[in-house]
Amino acid sequence: MDIQSILLNPHFVRLRFILERENVSLSEFEHDLQETLVPLLEEHKQDNAVLKEEAYHYILPAIAVYRTLRRYSPDAAIDLFREMWFYGAELGAERLREKAEDSEFLNAWIMNVTPKNCDAGAFVFEIIRQTQTETEYHVKSCPYVRLCAYYGCPEIVTVFCDCDDIAFGHIHPRLIWGRTETIGRGDMVCNFKYTLLPE
């Protein structure tokens, strides 16, 4: 995976600004990031396709960025990482709000977000309830939790959880986000729930 493509990903797009503000050389950081990321990707090249998609595009680059930030700013790394990831979540939320202005997109949300495969190779889901206007499902196993713990940075998992709240919490007044528990915050499951109110 190319470092430049990572830095263009909305989740990482604020990183350049943060490094400049913190007086960190971008070229040095990119070099160290590459040295951190490549072995992680190599370790996971045999993962199943679903896990690899999630790991290669989000989880492993996030771990590599955070570990590299710790090298440059050990005391501030978690705050810098949170700033970067929150910024990306806000960008994602804006896009979702724009799309949700289309009633067809909004009305299809419940069906589209409900998992089709309860063990797709990355997350493990349990469908609790699904109707045309409401879905509730539990995440019973999360690769973000597993991989961050494995690579010694469990503290960043709550950043991902918080960013779900940012991205999905205010998509549209008719769409109610109801998750109250996450594995990353110490709960047994992530209890995803969406309710679509009538027009």
Side-chain angles (χ1 to χ4, degrees):
M1 175 172 284
D2 179 75
I3 293 297
Q4 295 308 314
S5 68
I6 290 173
L7 297 179
L8 291 174
N9 180 309
H11 286 289
F12 301 95
V13 73
R14 188 157 177 86
L15 182 58
R16 289 178 187 273
F17 171 83
I18 291 171
L19 295 176
E20 183 178 324
R21 188 189 67 209
E22 299 295 312
N23 296 312
V24 174
S25 163
L26 181 59
S27 60
E28 289 180 19
F29 189 93
E30 286 180 355
H31 174 270
D32 291 345
L33 176 57
Q34 181 85 26
E35 298 233 317
T36 303
L37 179 60
V38 168
L40 298 181
L41 298 177
E42 183 68 19
E43 262 190 79
H44 291 273
K45 68 180 182 180
Q46 301 301 325
D47 286 352
N48 69 70
V50 177
L51 177 56
K52 195 171 181 180
E53 174 75 15
E54 197 75 32
Y56 267 48
H57 288 92
Y58 302 106
I59 308 173
L60 298 176
I63 290 171
V65 166
Y66 178 64
R67 288 170 67 171
T68 308
L69 281 170
R70 282 198 308 205
R71 233 184 278 174
Y72 285 84
S73 301
D75 295 333
I78 186 65
D79 293 326
L80 300 178
F81 181 84
R82 184 181 293 109
E83 177 187 344
M84 177 193 73
W85 208 261
F86 277 24
Y87 186 84
E90 291 286 1
L91 293 178
E94 285 176 23
R95 285 197 301 276
L96 284 175
R97 285 192 290 267
E98 288 170 7
K99 289 182 176 181
E101 292 302 314
D102 178 351
S103 59
E104 193 172 308
F105 175 89
L106 186 62
N107 290 330
W109 181 267
I110 297 295
M111 296 300 293
N112 288 338
V113 298
T114 304
K116 307 300 184 284
N117 185 341
C118 286
D119 188 356
F123 297 91
V124 175
F125 301 102
E126 178 185 2
I127 308 298
I128 305 301
R129 177 175 58 258
Q130 183 188 4
T131 68
Q132 289 295 319
T133 58
E134 186 172 71
T135 185
E136 183 176 0
Y137 57 90
H138 291 176
V139 174
K140 300 176 77 175
S141 179
C142 172
Y144 286 82
V145 173
R146 293 196 307 273
L147 290 175
C148 289
Y150 180 77
Y151 288 112
C153 50
E155 63 271 25
I156 66 173
V157 175
T158 55
V159 176
F160 303 130
C161 299
D162 292 344
C163 284
D164 281 351
D165 295 332
I166 293 170
F168 303 127
H170 307 283
I171 295 173
H172 193 277
R174 287 181 56 212
L175 187 63
I176 308 304
W177 165 245
R179 191 186 68 185
T180 58
E181 301 175 358
T182 72
I183 300 169
R185 295 173 181 144
D187 299 302
M188 295 299 294
V189 298
C190 306
N191 62 341
F192 281 79
K193 182 179 179 181
Y194 296 93
T195 304
L196 185 63
L197 301 177
E199 294 185 63

